[in-house]
Amino acid sequence: MKKAFVIRLASNNDLQALQEVGARLFDYPIKLERAKEFLEDPRHHLALVFDKNKIVGMASGFHYVHPDKDPILFVNEVAVLDDFQNQGIGRKVVKFLVDQCKNLGCEEAWVATEASNVAARKAYKAAGGLEDEEPVVLIEFKS
């Protein structure tokens, strides 16, 4: 029997569930003040995947504008708990996030990942993403 997962945008009502899943899903434990700041910023978006009342997946991003462009969504992170991988959750949560941002006027979304991240690339393609033919060079600035 196939599980029925619920995907929805996060709110401050999800803070407890975010803290419970913490570093098992995110890179680090949840910082409560940063989580509140993120959730209260209308340009930041966090789609959560629930199995009953537990978070099992997420996709985060933010939309931005530029003087010569309509709003664009940058998909920042996508993650699915190990026990829930290979069930199409990554694809579904990315598509959900992109679709939500269409309501904000975003006509385009983008994400970057390592060439070796086969699972992410597969999920992004399944969600409707098209890989750019030109390789990207990542440059970091440390402060």
Side-chain angles (χ1 to χ4, degrees), residues 39-113:
L39 294 172
E40 291 169 3
D41 186 325
R43 290 194 189 258
H44 286 86
H45 313 284
L46 178 62
L48 298 175
V49 183
F50 288 85
D51 178 28
K52 297 184 176 109
N53 62 345
K54 301 289 184 191
I55 299 171
V56 300
M58 69 89 178
S60 68
F62 58 88
H63 74 279
Y64 60 95
V65 295
H66 197 267
D68 64 335
K69 296 176 182 72
D70 289 327
I72 298 170
L73 172 69
F74 169 65
V75 179
N76 188 43
E77 291 188 24
V78 179
V80 177
L81 292 178
D82 291 345
D83 291 347
F84 292 86
Q85 292 181 1
N86 298 311
Q87 297 181 44
I89 293 172
R91 168 183 52 88
K92 290 176 186 171
V93 74
V94 169
K95 184 157 180 19
F96 177 88
L97 186 62
V98 170
D99 287 346
Q100 291 299 307
C101 287
K102 287 179 184 175
N103 299 330
L104 300 169
C106 294
E107 296 179 12
E108 182 179 337
W110 68 280
V111 63
T113 192

Side-chain angles (χ1 to χ4, degrees), residues 7-20:
I7 304 174
R8 62 177 172 73
L9 291 176
S11 73
N12 279 330
N13 295 332
D14 298 309
L15 288 170
Q16 180 68 36
L18 286 168
Q19 286 186 299
E20 287 174 10

Side-chain angles (χ1 to χ4, degrees), residues 109-126:
W110 68 280
V111 63
T113 192
E114 297 79 9
S116 62
N117 193 341
V118 176
R121 291 171 66 191
K122 180 179 172 185
Y124 299 145
K125 285 180 187 177

